[in-house]
Amino acid sequence: MGYLLCQSVDAEVHAIDDYNSSPCSAQTIRPSSQVTGNWQQTTAASYKGAYLTLSVNRNDITSAAAQSATVTMVPFVPESGFYKLYMSIPGCQNTNTCISRTSAKVTWLMNGKNSIVTTIKQHNLVDDEVEVLSGYVPASSQNFSSAIYVQLASDGTVDPQAATVEVVVDSFRLERITSYTNLNGVLQLHDDLTSDLQVNRPLYEPLSAGLPTGSQVYSATHGVSNDTNPEDTLFLGGQFFDSDQGYYSIAQYRDDKVTALSSAGLWGDVRAMAFVGASLYVGGSFNGTADFATALGNVGEYNTTDQKWYPMAGGVGGVVSTAVPYAPFGPRAVAFMGDFKSIYAGEADDLLELGVEGLAMWDALAGGWTNTPFLQGQPSMLYSDTWKDGQDSVAFAAGEFTAAAALEANGAVLLTPSQNIQAIDMMGYDLQPDTQGRFMVNAGLWYAKSNGSTPALVVGGRFSTLDGGANVARLQDGKWQQLGDIGGEVLTLNNAANLLFVGGVANVSAGFTGLTVLDMDKGREYNTQRLQGPDGDSTDVRVNRVAIRADTSMVVVGGNFTAAGGMLECPYICTLDINEGQ
C-alpha cells in the first residue's frame, strides 16, 4: 500500500522560478514566475537564498525599458477565500546598496475583474516581510489563477546621492484570513452557478444591511411579504433586537434592508418558521408580540396579506423547536415539534388543555388544532415532502417512540395522506438498541438512484440490526438490514447517484472517522480523504450535515473539523468532489 503525504502551508511563490514547487506531488497546478526586462539574479552570503534585482540609472526611471521590466508571479491558491498578501524583501545591508534602494510597484490581479495596485518602499536595512494587500482570491484552476506583478515605481523616493536605483523581488506569501466578521447570525449564499463561479466574488457574504452585533438566528425562510409586492422576502427569526429600527426576535429582509414586522415582532425567542399559503407560522419561546398588543403561547400566525399577528388558540405549553408544512394533510396543515406536553384548543376565554407528546398539528383552513398521528413517545425529527413523482406526499418521523397506533414501530413510522400511521417494518425485524442499550434515530432518507429505481428507506442514528449492522440500516422487504458497521452515532444522511454519505460523531477506535461513503451498487465503502480535527487526527471530528450541489459532482460537508486529507485546511466546511474522491 502506498501513502501520499502532502503538507498544508500558506500559498507561496518565488520570483526565481526554479524555487517554485508544489507542496503536493499530486497537485496539477504549480506556482510559477516569468521575467521581462533586465532583472538580475542576486546572491548575498548573509541572505537565505537568491533573489532578483532590477538596477537602472536614476535618470532612466521613467523610461519605457525601466517601466516595462516586470516580474510576473502566479501562486497556487488551493481554496477560494480571503487572503493577506505578504512580500519578502531582502535587507539592503546584504549587498551594501541601501543608497540605491527605492520603491516597487505591486499589482495584484486577485480575480477576473478586480486588481489592486500599491507602492512598497524597500529601504529596509535588514530582511523583512511586509503586508502588501488583502482581498478575495478564487482557487487556482486551469481557467484562472491570481497573479502578482512587480515593477519599478516611477514615483518612488530616491536618495539624492544615488547614481542608480534598484528594486528587489524575492517571494510572496498568501495567508488565509477570516472571510467576514460582521455576519451576526446570517450568511447569504448565492446560487448563480455560472462559468465564473467564485472567480469574481465569493458565493457567500453578509447581508447588505445586517442584524445588530451579537444576534443569534435560529430560523430563516422566504415568501412574499404582502399581495401588493410579490417579491420574495427573507424572514429571520432568533434572539436579537434593534430598538432603533423597531424589531424584536423576528424581522424581514428585502431591498437590502432589515425592517420590522407589525407590532415590532415578538417578545421572546423565535426558533422555527414555516409558510403555509400566505401565512407565516412561527414557533419558539415567546408570550406575545413585542408591543404587548397580542398574547401568544409559543406559536403564532403572521398573515402577510394584512400584516397582522393572530393567536393559534391558546398555543402550546412549552418551547417549539421545529415547524414544517405537513404534506400528508395537504396544503393546509403545519406541524410543530418541541419540548411541550400540552396544547390549548378552543376560544381564548374557554381554553381546553390537551395532552400531546411534543408533536402538534394546526389546520390552517379551519384555524384550529387537528388530530395528531399517535406516537407512543416523543419524536425528535419530522420531515415532510413528496419523495417520488407520482406518489402521494408522505412524512417521515423519527425519535424515542416505540409504537404507532397499535403497531410496534421502533424508531420510524410512515405517515400517510389519509392521516393514518403505518408500521414500515415487520414484527420481529425492527431496529434494536446498540450494545450499550442506547437507541436513537437521527436521520432518514429515501434512497433511489437517478434511473428511477424503487426507493428504499435508509435511517441512521444509534442502534443495531438483527443481522449485525450498527447505526445505519436499509429497509428491505419489511426487514431492517445492515448497510455496514458504522462505529459512531450517525447524524446525517444524503445520497448522490449510487453513493450514500453517512456522517456523524467520529469513533476512531471503532473505525469511524466521522464520514463514510458507501457504494450502494458494490456494497462496500468508497474511498475518500479523511477529515481531521485540530490535533491532526479524527478523534474530535463531527459531521453534522452533508449536502449535494445540484447538477454537479460536489458534496458539501459541514461539522466540527479543520482539515481534509492531511493537506487541505477547511475549518468546519469542506467540499468533496465525488469524481475525484477528494
Side-chain angles (χ1 to χ4, degrees):
M1 178 181 293
Y3 292 90
L4 179 65
L5 178 63
C6 298
Q7 184 179 9
S8 178
V9 296
D10 291 339
E12 190 172 18
V13 60
H14 294 265
I16 299 175
D17 196 44
D18 290 343
Y19 291 172
N20 290 316
S21 62
S22 301
C24 177
S25 60
Q27 187 175 295
T28 58
I29 303 174
R30 62 179 290 273
S32 62
S33 63
Q34 291 182 337
V35 178
T36 59
N38 193 29
W39 293 86
Q40 300 297 319
Q41 184 167 315
T42 301
T43 303
S46 58
Y47 192 61
K48 60 184 179 180
Y51 53 90
L52 296 182
T53 302
L54 176 67
S55 297
V56 300
N57 188 292
R58 67 174 298 157
N59 296 324
D60 296 331
I61 291 177
T62 58
S63 66
Q67 289 300 304
S68 63
T70 306
V71 179
T72 302
M73 287 170 281
V74 180
F76 172 75
V77 181
E79 190 176 30
S80 299
F82 287 79
Y83 288 84
K84 287 183 179 180
L85 180 67
Y86 292 90
M87 183 180 191
S88 180
I89 306 174
C92 62
Q93 288 182 343
N94 293 316
T95 52
N96 294 319
T97 55
C98 294
I99 194 173
S100 300
R101 283 289 182 93
T102 183
S103 301
K105 174 185 174 182
V106 178
T107 304
W108 188 16
L109 177 63
M110 297 183 298
N111 51 57
K113 293 183 178 179
N114 300 311
S115 62
I116 302 179
V117 181
T118 190
T119 299
I120 301 298
K121 294 181 179 180
Q122 297 194 331
H123 302 95
N124 49 295
L125 300 178
V126 296
D127 304 336
D128 195 10
E129 184 183 58
V130 298
E131 180 181 338
V132 179
L133 299 163
S134 64
Y136 173 78
V137 186
S140 298
S141 68
Q142 299 294 341
N143 298 322
F144 178 83
S145 291
S146 172
I148 304 163
Y149 305 93
V150 181
Q151 298 167 295
L152 173 66
S154 62
D155 56 352
T157 302
V158 178
D159 191 294
Q161 300 180 16
T164 61
V165 296
E166 72 172 28
V167 289
V168 295
V169 187
D170 180 5
S171 62
F172 285 85
R173 179 173 63 89
L174 280 79
E175 179 184 273
R176 184 73 182 268
I177 60 176
T178 301
S179 300
Y180 296 104
T181 58
N182 59 337
L183 295 177
N184 293 327
V186 186
L187 180 67
Q188 181 178 202
L189 299 176
H190 298 279
D191 60 357
D192 50 342
L193 303 180
T194 59
S195 59
D196 64 345
L197 175 66
Q198 294 197 68
V199 172
N200 298 318
R201 56 167 174 75
L203 278 177
Y204 54 92
E205 61 184 351
L207 299 179
S208 298
L211 296 172
T213 301
S215 297
Q216 296 186 57
V217 175
Y218 300 130
S219 182
T221 190
H222 68 89
V224 294
S225 181
N226 54 55
D227 289 346
T228 61
N229 189 342
E231 295 182 8
D232 270 4
T233 297
L234 176 65
F235 293 87
L236 304 170
Q239 188 179 56
F240 54 81
F241 73 93
D242 189 328
S243 56
D244 293 335
Q245 298 297 323
Y247 59 77
Y248 294 79
S249 302
I250 189 170
Q252 57 184 350
Y253 178 77
R254 185 176 59 184
D255 298 329
D256 295 334
K257 294 183 294 185
V258 179
T259 58
L261 277 64
S262 64
S263 296
L266 299 171
W267 193 254
D269 297 345
V270 172
R271 299 276 177 172
M273 297 185 291
F275 260 102
V276 174
S279 290
L280 176 66
Y281 289 89
V282 181
S285 175
F286 49 83
N287 58 14
T289 56
D291 63 356
F292 307 107
T294 304
L296 303 169
N298 300 314
V299 292
E301 175 191 355
Y302 181 73
N303 188 297
T304 60
T305 301
D306 62 15
Q307 307 281 288
K308 293 182 180 180
W309 288 98
Y310 293 92
M312 299 172 61
V316 304
V319 178
V320 173
S321 58
T322 302
V324 294
Y326 191 66
F329 288 2
R332 55 185 283 177
V334 58
F336 295 92
M337 281 179 44
D339 186 17
F340 54 87
K341 301 290 185 180
S342 59
I343 60 176
Y344 299 92
E347 301 298 326
D349 56 353
D350 187 22
L351 292 175
L352 175 65
E353 182 177 359
L354 302 173
V356 295
E357 288 292 337
L359 174 64
M361 304 286 179
W362 181 262
D363 188 324
L365 184 61
W369 299 110
T370 188
N371 292 328
T372 299
F374 173 73
L375 304 174
Q376 184 175 329
Q378 183 170 343
S380 57
M381 187 194 76
L382 181 63
Y383 178 75
S384 180
D385 199 1
T386 301
W387 54 268
K388 185 181 178 185
D389 292 340
Q391 296 285 335
D392 292 331
S393 296
V394 298
F396 174 74
E400 294 185 13
F401 47 83
T402 57
L407 302 174
E408 183 178 355
N410 281 346
V413 297
L414 195 67
L415 310 180
T416 72
S418 59
Q419 304 186 23
N420 294 322
I421 304 175
Q422 295 179 359
I424 56 179
D425 49 19
M426 296 171 57
M427 294 292 292
Y429 293 95
D430 47 19
L431 299 173
Q432 306 291 318
D434 65 12
T435 56
Q436 296 179 330
R438 299 171 301 184
F439 186 87
M440 176 68 72
V441 176
N442 297 323
L445 59 78
W446 295 103
Y447 170 82
K449 294 194 297 184
S450 57
N451 59 9
S453 59
T454 302
L457 179 61
V458 177
V459 297
R462 187 188 295 165
F463 53 77
S464 64
T465 60
L466 292 176
D467 60 354
N471 300 328
V472 64
R474 172 175 55 187
L475 188 66
Q476 191 77 28
D477 298 325
K479 302 177 182 179
W480 289 109
Q481 299 181 355
Q482 64 171 321
L483 279 176
D485 190 3
I486 303 298
E489 182 178 357
V490 174
L491 302 177
T492 182
L493 297 169
N494 214 327
N495 84 281
N498 60 306
L499 299 180
L500 177 68
F501 296 85
V502 183
V505 181
N507 185 357
V508 177
S509 62
F512 182 53
T513 59
L515 178 67
T516 294
V517 184
L518 300 177
D519 188 322
M520 299 289 278
D521 287 346
K522 298 180 181 179
R524 64 190 186 196
E525 289 190 17
Y526 178 80
N527 188 35
T528 59
Q529 295 177 333
R530 292 175 60 172
L531 299 170
Q532 289 91 33
D535 294 330
D537 57 24
S538 301
T539 303
D540 297 322
V541 170
R542 177 188 178 101
V543 173
N544 296 322
R545 184 68 184 273
V546 176
I548 311 297
R549 284 187 176 177
D551 302 322
T552 73
S553 62
M554 308 307 290
V555 178
V556 181
V557 180
N560 181 37
F561 47 80
T562 58
M567 62 170 289
L568 177 62
E569 293 186 5
C570 51
Y572 310 119
I573 186 166
C574 263
T575 301
L576 169 69
D577 189 328
I578 59 177
N579 291 335
E580 302 292 336
Q582 60 183 10

